[in-house]
């Protein structure tokens, strides 16, 4: 999953397929009408890393990866069940051995054909821990992962280092022919096919393996409906239509410029002036009194997405290793007040660990999410109090300052802790600090669902070594329960088993769910039709001018 930069994101429900239609009909498959050679400018932020799919875990780079690549399956904009995209078929008789056939004749942007080996090579590269792919643990289901991926036994600050893997390739992957490969999992895993639309599972061209990953990532070669043109750091990423693309979702316009802003207010001003064609989330300053509705009129749209705003704890800082302290902080936060006064009711106070729009999620299972300042004070005393300043960090290039200030003030008022909020200038620098385990206090986080299953809200976030377990939380009971749930023979059994893991997470409070996302977006007068994808991002293949 990806950590969200903004105040939003995640998977679709039918309402999330917000459609902005202004008298234009759908173009249908591959149809291009007026504006076929047109261009749009979209709001963006500087990606944290060069654009390698299995090393991109945040939304700034993630949306570009989603546009540049097409995976085996896709998640419909209307929230429907995952369906084949590049895959011709995905078959299994036991949910352990999968035969995957890909469509013949699709190409990477360098003109080479996408073959089965491009998936196998890409997955092997990501699963080999010395390569350092942040999404490497997404391949843990596949047989042989325990031999290709090793972890540092005492963390980044300890004297020990991760042992060398005993294998370079996953034993569970086998190329059958140019269009077919076989995947053998370590145990039956019903949710495995659902995962295959996430960007970690994208194919890589042969050219990737002839250069350094960071060099490739600055000039990425994908297989999606648009191809890369150029990237000027903190200024602009330019994309253009890939005319040899032959799958369903062809572009109806030609060029997409992603303008990399450091200030959402400036982006919003550009949107109002029609100098910016799409802004995914308007700043919170525009929510007061429904100002955004007045500003944008029919150019505004509102939806909800299965994303949740969180505050994460750095477990590598001993001051935050007491579960009673963490629960006290959570119970001292008045989420309803934040929803009402900061977001004017557009965000719903969180009361569960997985977003309730997610298949398999159980509503209301976060006992630490209620507002109970009296119990919070008692728990803080039992934890031995807190000495010094508690600083809550956030990225300042999005609208997070107001609600993080409110959280800090509530902690100050309800727990008498010297708390304050502090912004880090850009999301990219913020994420680099998080990944370097350099945070000196609780910090803003958000989870944008990678694929529609509750598993995606547990394994990456709360299992030891999970791809986005940035705070280094670890509980062997959670690990064991999640492993058992992941290997359940049916989705129903898996969801029930994951609820047991969530109960343990709830006891530990490794992070603090704050609110479920609502999303208010805007587009220019130039755009006559668009759709949002299942996570609330612009579906650039739907845009008509």
């Amino acid at each position: 999953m990806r950590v969200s930069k903004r105040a939003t994101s995640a998977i679709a429900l039918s309402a999330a397929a917000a459609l902005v239609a202004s008298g234009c009909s759908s173009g249908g498959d591959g149809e291009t009408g007026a504006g076929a050679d047109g261009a749009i400018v979209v709001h963006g932020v500087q990606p944290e890393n060069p654009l390698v799919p299995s090393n991109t875990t945040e939304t700034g780079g993630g949306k570009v990866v989603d546009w540049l690549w097409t995976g085996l399956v896709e998640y419909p904009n209307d929230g429907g069940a995952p369906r084949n995209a590049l895959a011709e078929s995905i078959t299994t008789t036991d949910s352990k051995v999968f035969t995957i056939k890909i469509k013949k004749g699709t190409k990477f942007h360098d003109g080479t054909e996408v073959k089965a080996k491009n998936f196998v090579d890409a997955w092997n590269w990501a699963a080999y821990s010395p390569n350092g792919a942040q999404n490497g643990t997404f391949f843990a289901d596949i047989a042989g992962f325990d031999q290709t991926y090793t972890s540092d036994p005492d963390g980044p600050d300890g004297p020990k280092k991760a042992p060398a893997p005993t294998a370079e390739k996953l034993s569970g992957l086998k190329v059958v022919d140019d269009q077919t490969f076989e995947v053998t999992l370590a145990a039956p895993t019903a949710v495995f096919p659902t995962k295959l639309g996430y960007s970690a599972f994208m194919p890589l061209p042969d050219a990737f393996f002839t250069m350094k990953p960071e060099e490739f990532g600055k000039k990425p070669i994908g297989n999606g409906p648009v191809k890369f043109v150029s990237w000027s750091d903190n200024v602009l990423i330019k994309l253009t239509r890939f005319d040899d693309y032959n799958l369903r979702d062809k572009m109806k316009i030609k060029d997409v410029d992603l303008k990399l802003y450091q200030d959402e207010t400036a982006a919003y001003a550009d949107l109002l002036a029609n100098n910016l064609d799409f802004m995914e989330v308007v700043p919170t300053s525009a929510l007061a009194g429904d100002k955004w509705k007045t500003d944008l009129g029919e150019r505004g749209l509102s939806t909800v997405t299965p994303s949740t705003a969180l505050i994460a704890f750095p477990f590598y800082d001993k001051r935050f290793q007491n579960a009673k302290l963490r629960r006290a902080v959570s119970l001292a936060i008045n989420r309803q007040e934040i929803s009402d006064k900061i977001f004017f009711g557009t965000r719903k106070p969180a009361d569960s660990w997985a977003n309730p729009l997610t298949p398999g999620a159980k509503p209301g299972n976060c006992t630490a999410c209620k507002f109970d300042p009296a119990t919070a004070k008692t728990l803080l005393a039992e934890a031995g109090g807190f000495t010094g300043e508690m600083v809550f960090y956030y990225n300042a290039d999005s609208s997070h300052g107001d609600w993080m200030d409110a959280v800090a003030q509530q902690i100050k008022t309800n727990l008498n802790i010297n708390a304050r909020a502090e912004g880090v200038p850009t999301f990219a620098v913020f994420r680099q600090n998080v990944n370097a385990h350099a945070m000196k206090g609780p910090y803003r986080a958000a989870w944008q669902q990678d694929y529609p299953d509750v598993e995606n809200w547990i394994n990456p976030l709360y299992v030891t070594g999970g791809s986005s377990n940035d705070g280094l939380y670890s509980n062997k009971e959670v690990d064991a329960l999640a492993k058992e749930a992941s290997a359940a023979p049916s989705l129903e059994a898996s969801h029930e088993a994951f609820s047991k893991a969530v109960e343990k997470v709830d006891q530990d409070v490794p992070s603090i769910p704050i609110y479920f996302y609502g999303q208010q977006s805007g587009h220019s007068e130039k755009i006559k039709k668009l759709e949002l994808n299942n996570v609330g991002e612009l579906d650039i293949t739907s845009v008509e001018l």
Side-chain angles (χ1 to χ4, degrees):
M1 156 48 313
R2 289 178 193 146
V3 179
S4 174
K5 176 260 184 190
R6 55 201 168 92
T8 293
S9 230
I11 198 147
L13 58 166
S14 57
L19 185 68
V20 180
S22 300
C24 288
S25 60
S26 171
D29 288 357
E31 179 182 328
T32 56
D37 291 324
I40 58 172
V41 181
V42 177
H43 172 260
V45 296
Q46 173 75 8
E48 176 190 8
N49 297 316
L51 298 172
V52 176
S54 58
N55 197 38
T56 300
T57 60
E58 44 79 32
T59 55
K63 74 170 66 176
V64 188
V65 168
D66 288 343
W67 293 340
L68 288 173
W69 268 269
T70 295
L72 294 168
V73 304
E74 62 185 3
Y75 310 118
N77 292 347
D78 65 1
R83 62 192 180 198
N84 289 344
L86 185 55
E88 184 70 43
S89 64
I90 301 173
T91 57
T92 184
T93 58
D94 57 5
S95 292
K96 183 175 181 180
V97 180
F98 292 82
T99 299
I100 299 175
K101 291 182 178 294
I102 64 172
K103 292 171 181 170
K104 191 174 182 179
T106 66
K107 294 181 179 179
F108 286 107
H109 300 152
D110 62 358
T112 58
E113 184 177 355
V114 181
K115 298 180 178 179
K117 70 181 292 291
N118 296 112
F119 284 94
V120 170
D121 290 348
W123 297 8
N124 276 326
W125 182 86
Y128 186 59
S129 56
N131 288 330
Q134 292 184 16
N135 277 324
T137 55
F138 273 87
F139 301 90
D141 295 334
I142 300 174
F145 181 79
D146 57 345
Q147 297 169 22
T148 64
Y149 195 95
T150 60
S151 301
D152 188 339
D154 57 358
D157 296 329
K160 298 180 181 179
K161 295 183 178 180
T166 57
E168 293 185 1
K169 297 181 179 179
L170 293 162
S171 60
L173 295 180
K174 182 175 70 176
V175 175
V176 177
D177 58 38
D178 281 353
Q179 276 73 50
T180 310
F181 65 108
E182 185 178 273
V183 184
T184 301
L185 306 183
T189 304
V191 74
F192 182 70
T194 301
K195 296 181 178 183
L196 297 178
Y198 178 47
S199 55
F201 295 92
M202 297 297 136
L204 289 172
D206 293 347
F208 173 82
F209 302 97
T210 66
M211 62 180 74
K212 293 180 179 178
E214 54 271 25
E215 293 175 347
F216 174 90
K218 294 299 287 187
K219 296 181 179 179
I221 302 168
N223 68 326
V226 291
K227 61 182 180 181
F228 177 85
V229 176
S230 64
W231 179 352
S232 177
D233 284 340
N234 296 302
V235 178
L236 189 68
I237 294 176
K238 294 181 71 67
L239 310 173
T240 192
R241 184 175 62 222
F242 179 44
D243 287 329
D244 285 342
Y245 188 74
N246 58 7
L247 296 177
R248 178 197 61 80
D249 50 337
K250 296 179 182 177
M251 294 288 288
K252 301 179 181 66
I253 59 173
K254 185 178 181 184
D255 298 319
V256 177
D257 286 354
L258 194 71
K259 190 172 181 180
L260 308 178
Y261 285 90
Q262 286 80 53
D263 180 357
E264 283 190 341
T265 302
Y268 188 64
D270 280 350
L271 176 69
L272 297 184
N274 282 297
N275 294 323
L276 180 69
D277 293 309
F278 181 76
M279 188 172 188
E280 192 170 299
V281 181
V282 303
T284 55
S285 59
L287 299 177
D290 283 337
K291 181 178 183 296
W292 70 281
K293 291 182 179 178
T294 303
D295 289 342
L296 294 168
E298 294 184 351
R299 294 196 286 135
L301 58 155
S302 181
T303 187
V304 292
T305 59
S307 297
T308 299
L310 309 161
I311 290 176
F313 288 104
F315 278 72
Y316 44 83
D317 185 330
K318 293 181 179 179
R319 296 177 301 164
F320 301 102
Q321 292 178 350
N322 189 306
K324 289 185 177 180
L325 168 71
R326 298 192 298 272
R327 180 173 288 271
V329 172
S330 184
L331 293 174
I333 297 172
N334 186 341
R335 293 161 177 77
Q336 188 65 57
E337 184 176 79
I338 290 172
S339 175
D340 293 342
K341 294 187 177 180
I342 305 297
F343 295 112
F344 304 95
T346 59
R347 275 62 163 167
K348 183 180 179 182
D351 63 357
S352 61
W353 288 95
N355 191 288
L357 299 174
T358 302
K362 293 186 180 299
N365 62 0
C366 177
T367 64
C369 288
K370 61 183 179 181
F371 178 48
D372 186 350
T375 301
K377 290 177 182 175
T378 299
L379 289 172
L380 179 63
E382 292 176 359
F386 185 85
T387 302
E389 192 175 47
M390 185 180 290
V391 181
F392 291 80
Y393 294 94
Y394 62 94
N395 57 297
D397 53 355
S398 288
S399 299
H400 300 300
D402 289 343
W403 75 267
M404 289 295 285
D405 282 339
V407 165
Q409 185 58 50
Q410 290 178 357
I411 298 304
K412 196 170 188 177
T413 300
N414 297 325
L415 292 178
N416 198 29
I417 289 175
N418 184 19
R420 65 178 175 86
E422 180 176 314
V424 176
T426 68
F427 182 58
V429 173
F430 177 75
R431 286 299 305 164
Q432 287 163 7
N433 291 342
V434 169
N435 282 323
H437 307 129
M439 303 305 286
K440 298 178 181 178
Y443 55 92
R444 183 202 77 80
W447 193 241
Q448 180 193 70
Q449 187 170 273
D450 301 318
Y451 44 85
D453 194 275
V454 69
E455 182 268 354
N456 190 233
W457 291 81
I458 306 301
N459 280 341
L461 290 173
Y462 302 121
V463 166
T464 301
S467 61
S468 292
N469 183 355
D470 300 324
L472 304 183
Y473 165 68
S474 181
N475 182 320
K476 291 182 179 178
E477 288 185 278
V478 172
D479 295 349
L481 288 167
K483 185 176 182 179
E484 179 182 337
S486 297
S490 69
L491 289 178
E492 293 76 13
S494 175
H495 295 166
E496 190 58 35
F498 269 116
S499 70
K500 304 299 181 185
V502 170
E503 290 176 4
K504 295 294 181 182
V505 170
D506 184 60
Q507 292 173 14
D508 283 349
V509 197
S511 62
I512 301 175
I514 301 295
Y515 60 83
F516 301 136
Y517 276 104
Q519 178 171 317
Q520 288 71 45
S521 308
H523 65 93
S524 69
E525 294 176 354
K526 185 168 71 176
I527 291 182
K528 303 305 180 188
K529 180 185 176 185
L530 65 80
E531 293 183 23
L532 303 182
N533 69 13
N534 65 327
V535 293
E537 296 174 347
L538 177 64
D539 175 358
I540 56 172
T541 68
S542 73
V543 173
E544 295 180 23
L545 305 180

